[in-house]
Amino acid sequence: TLLPFSGNFDLSSNATIVVEHKSLKKECHQFLRQAQELFNLRFNFGKISGNEPCIFISYDSTGLPPEGYELYINRDGVNLYGTKA
């Protein structure tokens, strides 16, 4: 599900990937590899303080189907909530 919000998020290497669970880092490696190879973007994992650009990744338990996800994009960042495969 893609849910639009107002504003634009400029994807750049300044964005930090924030994961809710350590196990999600493993799931992100394919994305990181593609971002680097295709767009020369290099992201770091970490925590943010304030209004730093981020990509927040979390498990969701609100009734999404298997392998389903919700993607929220706004001017402050990207939020991706998915289910376990």
Side-chain angles (χ1 to χ4, degrees), residues 16-19 25 44-48:
T16 300
I17 295 182
V18 179
V19 293
K25 282 186 180 182
N44 293 312
F45 287 101
K47 295 182 180 183
I48 61 165

Side-chain angles (χ1 to χ4, degrees), residues 6-77:
S6 63
N8 295 316
F9 177 74
D10 293 322
L11 189 59
S12 73
S13 293
N14 293 331
T16 300
I17 295 182
V18 179
V19 293
E20 185 177 38
H21 302 284
K22 288 182 181 181
S23 63
L24 289 169
K25 282 186 180 182
K26 179 181 172 188
E27 301 295 329
C28 295
H29 287 293
Q30 178 66 20
F31 167 73
L32 295 175
R33 193 169 26 258
Q34 288 180 347
Q36 183 174 353
E37 290 174 5
L38 299 174
F39 305 107
N40 199 30
L41 294 172
R42 292 177 176 86
F43 301 106
N44 293 312
F45 287 101
K47 295 182 180 183
I48 61 165
S49 58
N51 292 331
E52 300 168 48
C54 76
I55 300 169
F56 179 75
I57 300 172
S58 175
Y59 286 124
D60 181 83
S61 60
T62 60
L64 291 172
E67 298 188 26
Y69 68 92
E70 289 184 340
L71 176 66
Y72 299 88
I73 302 171
N74 62 38
R75 64 185 173 98
D76 299 319

